[in-house]
């Protein structure tokens, strides 16, 4: 570690007897980012000096002091680019063009030293590789982080305005698409920690106004919290299923309900891991539609729907399962059995009346209506029975996508949805992800040593 000092000289003028506190604070706030940007510039220029000093004076600095510095490709013709072992250089002044990098503090414009390798003769800028800035990188990760946070909060305009950062919607799109979010957050989820899984899709407007479909799968924890499992854009359900299954661990022996609201193609989703449970809120509405197709008018179908709602809409007793009286469990069991029976009767009546669509709908439904009750009777686990949590998730995502991602590609919609979900429901993992990406490891610290007024006062 090298200890250095930065001296800052600020000039201010104040109208004695006239200025108020607000104006002073206002102007200081204006100074904040530009001042930090200037400091950044100075730190980087000094770093550049320190690096070239070490690389050019090998007689003073042992190879240990040059560790991590001077990595460059050999000056060679041809395709195969190999790293050079040479670590002694001659200084060759500054690059003609300043390097522009978008940072969280604003647009940085930096004069960069070039050196020439004494071994292979290649010319390169050792600062860039030392900083972990790629040859063509035009922004740093804090900046990327701020852009993404701003996009999620749908206030990216505020980020851009008033700073020397210029990023267009297209630029934001590229930041989102270029993110590695699709390869991260793949760690296993243990089925035993979940009380249920929900999946559904929602429409999104994409390129040229085309309608796409965003699909999301979430886990619901025992405590009723959302555990994001995956977001997909224009992806077939079997592929979604394959991806989700890969993340689910120790599925055997932990059958949990899979709740959905009748999306075709989801009837056997995650079979073997989860038992299908139709959303008890949406299911009766589907029946209305099926009966309507049979030519049943609203007036006639309404009492039937009320019947169904009454049959499936019973609540489980509150309190610890183990502490419940046997008769409470018995009551649930007999209600469950009679409900099942009455639904069977209803199916038969429908067929007798010639309501084929309605009968088939209810028959299909009847196997998937009481999964959460059956699970509770067997294990005492209270599982979700509606897709309401997932609907909330979709509202969160949809509101933001509408504002910013209009016309975006599949990858962008997928990535952004995933980011929204993880930041919203796994905040700690989200923070961890960025810290890891930023590489904060204690190699740079800066503090305010003293701030004092110059003694040469004029009154
Ligand atoms: Zn070289």
């Amino acid at each position: 570690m090298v200890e250095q000092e930065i001296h800052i000289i600020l000039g201010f003028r104040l109208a004695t007897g006239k200025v108020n506190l607000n104006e002073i604070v206002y102007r200081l706030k204006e100074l904040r980012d530009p001042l930090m940007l200037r400091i950044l510039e100075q730190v980087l220029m000094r770093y550049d000096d320190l690096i070239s000093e070490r690389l050019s004076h090998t007689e003073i600095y042992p190879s240990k002091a040059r560790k991590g510095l001077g990595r460059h490709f050999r000056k060679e013709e041809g395709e195969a680019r190999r790293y050079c072992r040479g670590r002694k250089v001659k200084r060759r002044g500054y690059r003609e063009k300043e390097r522009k990098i978008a940072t969280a503090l604003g647009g940085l414009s930096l004069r960069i030293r070039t050196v020439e390798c004494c071994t292979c003769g290649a010319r390169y800028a050792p600062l860039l590789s030392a900083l972990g800035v790629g040859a063509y990188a035009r922004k740093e990760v804090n900046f990327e982080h701020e852009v993404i946070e701003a996009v999620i909060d749908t206030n990216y305009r505020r980020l851009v305005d008033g700073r020397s950062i210029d990023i267009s919607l297209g630029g934001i799109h590229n930041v989102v698409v270029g993110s590695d979010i699709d390869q991260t957050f793949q760690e296993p989820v243990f089925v035993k920690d979940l009380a249920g899984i929900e999946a559904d899709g929602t429409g999104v407007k994409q390129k040229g106004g085309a309608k796409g479909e965003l699909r999301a799968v979430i886990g619901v924890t025992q405590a009723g919290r959302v555990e994001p499992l995956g977001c997909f854009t224009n992806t077939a359900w079997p592929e979604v299923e394959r991806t989700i299954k890969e993340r689910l661990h120790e599925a055997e022996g932990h059958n949990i309900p899979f709740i959905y609201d009748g999306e075709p193609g989801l009837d056997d989703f995650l079979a073997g891991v989860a038992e299908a449970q139709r959303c008890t809120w949406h299911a009766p509405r589907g029946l209305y539609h099926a009966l309507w197709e049979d030519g049943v008018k609203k007036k006639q179908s309404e009492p039937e729907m009320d019947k169904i709602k009454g049959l499936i809409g019973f609540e489980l007793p509150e309190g610890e399962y183990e502490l419940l009286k046997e008769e409470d469990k018995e009551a649930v069991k007999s209600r469950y059995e009679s409900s099942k029976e009455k639904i069977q009767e209803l199916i038969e009546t429908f067929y007798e009346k010639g309501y084929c669509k309605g009968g088939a709908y209810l028959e299909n439904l009847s196997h998937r209506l009481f999964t959460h009750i059956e699970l509770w009777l067997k294990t005492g686990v209270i599982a979700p029975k509606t897709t309401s949590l997932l609907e909330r998730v979709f509202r969160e995502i949809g509101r933001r996508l509408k504002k910013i991602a209009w016309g975006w590609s599949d990858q962008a919609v997928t990535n952004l949805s995933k980011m929204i979900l993880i930041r919203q429901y796994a905040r700690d993992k989200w923070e961890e992800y960025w810290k890891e990406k930023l590489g904060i490891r204690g190699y740079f610290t800066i503090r305010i040593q003293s701030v004092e007024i110059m003694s040469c006062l004029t009154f």
Side-chain angles (χ1 to χ4, degrees):
M1 288 274 203
V2 186
E3 185 75 28
Q4 303 275 310
E5 278 184 357
I6 296 173
H7 290 231
I8 300 162
I9 299 170
L10 303 173
F12 67 89
R13 301 200 308 182
L14 66 83
T16 311
K18 292 190 175 127
V19 70
N20 67 16
L21 174 64
N22 301 337
E23 187 169 357
I24 298 172
V25 173
Y26 187 89
R27 294 299 174 205
L28 287 177
K29 266 177 70 182
E30 277 186 339
L31 204 64
R32 205 157 45 184
D33 278 351
L35 176 62
M36 288 301 145
L37 200 59
R38 293 286 294 275
I39 295 173
L40 173 63
E41 196 185 5
Q42 291 301 315
V43 170
L44 293 180
M45 280 169 66
R46 177 51 56 91
Y47 190 27
D48 206 2
D49 292 344
L50 289 167
I51 293 168
S52 65
E53 175 76 14
R54 291 199 180 190
L55 288 175
S56 55
H57 291 290
T58 49
E59 73 283 0
I60 306 174
Y61 300 100
S63 66
K64 212 179 133 197
R66 284 175 280 133
K67 205 178 161 211
L69 300 175
R71 232 162 94 96
H72 65 280
F73 287 115
R74 284 178 67 107
K75 187 186 185 180
E76 280 175 328
E77 305 294 311
E79 290 283 288
R81 300 226 290 169
R82 282 185 297 136
Y83 283 111
C84 174
R85 285 167 187 244
R87 286 296 182 268
K88 183 171 168 55
V89 302
K90 284 195 218 87
R91 276 185 263 216
R92 286 288 181 253
Y94 289 88
R95 273 195 184 169
E96 213 170 295
K97 264 188 160 176
E98 296 196 327
R99 179 63 179 267
K100 290 190 165 45
I101 301 171
T103 79
L105 301 170
L108 175 75
S109 215
L110 199 63
R111 248 168 38 118
I112 293 175
R113 285 183 177 281
T114 46
V115 297
E116 189 183 315
C117 173
C118 295
T119 308
C120 74
R123 289 202 176 198
Y124 64 97
L127 178 67
L128 294 178
S129 73
L131 289 175
V133 176
Y136 302 103
R138 290 287 176 267
K139 53 191 179 297
E140 52 93 36
V141 177
N142 284 289
F143 176 70
E144 191 186 324
H145 185 200
E146 286 209 10
V147 167
I148 283 170
E149 293 281 345
V151 168
I152 293 176
D153 289 335
T154 63
N155 64 358
Y156 79 101
R157 260 293 130 209
R158 220 181 70 195
L159 168 86
V160 176
D161 292 346
R163 295 203 227 182
S164 45
I165 295 176
D166 193 28
I167 185 159
S168 60
L169 264 179
I172 293 174
H173 175 271
N174 292 344
V175 169
V176 172
V177 170
S179 152
D180 60 356
I181 193 94
D182 56 332
Q183 287 123 49
T184 48
F185 297 99
Q186 297 296 326
E187 67 279 12
V189 172
F190 291 91
V191 175
K192 65 173 163 41
D193 297 333
L194 299 178
I197 294 176
E198 303 184 358
D200 204 1
T202 188
V204 281
K205 272 189 188 161
Q206 290 186 277
K207 265 186 213 138
K211 200 172 174 290
E213 171 135 310
L214 171 71
R215 292 177 166 170
V217 184
I218 59 164
V220 181
T221 67
Q222 312 269 3
R225 286 190 41 147
V226 172
E227 171 79 49
L229 291 177
C231 291
F232 308 83
T233 310
N234 300 324
T235 310
W237 281 118
E239 201 186 322
V240 174
E241 184 180 30
R242 210 162 33 244
T243 312
I244 298 297
K245 265 190 171 163
E246 272 170 25
R247 283 197 66 191
L248 294 173
H249 278 234
E250 293 184 359
E252 301 80 23
H254 292 285
N255 240 11
I256 56 172
F258 165 69
I259 310 103
Y260 67 115
D261 72 9
E263 171 91 22
L266 281 182
D267 281 345
D268 295 309
F269 193 73
L270 295 179
V273 178
E275 200 86 47
Q277 161 77 53
R278 284 292 300 275
C279 173
T280 57
W281 194 84
H282 283 95
R285 299 163 68 89
L287 178 63
Y288 166 76
H289 199 80
L291 286 173
W292 182 80
E293 285 185 329
D294 285 324
V296 183
K297 296 264 156 50
K298 194 180 173 198
K299 245 192 182 151
Q300 293 163 273
S301 68
E302 236 162 23
E304 310 291 356
M305 302 222 334
D306 286 341
K307 233 184 265 174
I308 298 281
K309 280 182 198 161
L311 289 173
I312 62 180
F314 58 95
E315 297 296 325
L316 293 167
E318 282 179 32
E320 290 277 332
Y321 181 76
E322 280 76 20
L323 301 177
L324 282 177
K325 292 193 194 100
E326 269 316 302
E327 60 222 61
D328 291 331
K329 292 179 193 170
E330 255 336 291
V332 173
K333 201 172 172 211
S334 68
R335 173 116 196 237
Y336 154 73
E337 276 163 1
S338 83
S339 289
K340 266 198 112 158
E341 217 166 277
K342 281 182 187 137
I343 284 178
Q344 279 313 313
E345 285 164 20
L346 208 55
I347 294 168
E348 278 160 38
T349 328
F350 279 0
Y351 281 131
E352 275 163 24
K353 287 184 181 168
Y355 305 162
C356 292
K357 292 263 163 65
Y361 178 85
L362 196 53
E363 198 170 3
N364 180 298
L365 198 64
S366 64
H367 311 297
R368 303 179 164 96
L369 267 180
F370 297 106
T371 308
H372 70 289
I373 304 278
E374 287 155 5
L375 183 78
W376 183 84
L377 285 169
K378 242 192 305 187
T379 64
V381 169
I382 296 187
K385 58 178 176 173
T386 67
T387 50
S388 61
L389 257 187
L390 186 55
E391 280 159 38
R392 204 175 78 200
V393 166
F394 274 136
R395 277 197 300 277
E396 305 256 6
I397 297 175
R399 189 166 56 84
R400 293 168 165 95
L401 287 183
K402 232 176 246 162
K403 276 219 170 152
I404 186 109
W406 201 92
W408 278 17
S409 63
D410 287 4
Q411 189 65 55
V413 173
T414 306
N415 283 3
L416 186 58
S417 307
K418 196 169 168 184
M419 289 169 177
I420 294 168
L421 260 187
I422 292 166
R423 198 186 70 149
Q424 183 79 7
Y425 296 105
R427 194 70 191 226
D428 43 342
K429 283 187 206 161
W430 177 250
E431 306 290 345
E432 206 45 52
Y433 164 72
W434 281 104
K435 233 176 158 182
E436 181 75 31
K437 257 176 99 77
L438 289 167
I440 311 293
R441 291 185 289 260
Y443 293 146
F444 178 76
T445 57
I446 186 163
R447 71 215 161 272
I448 299 169
Q449 273 180 355
S450 78
V451 178
E452 50 200 285
I453 205 98
M454 301 281 257
S455 51
C456 49
L457 268 179
T458 35
F459 291 94

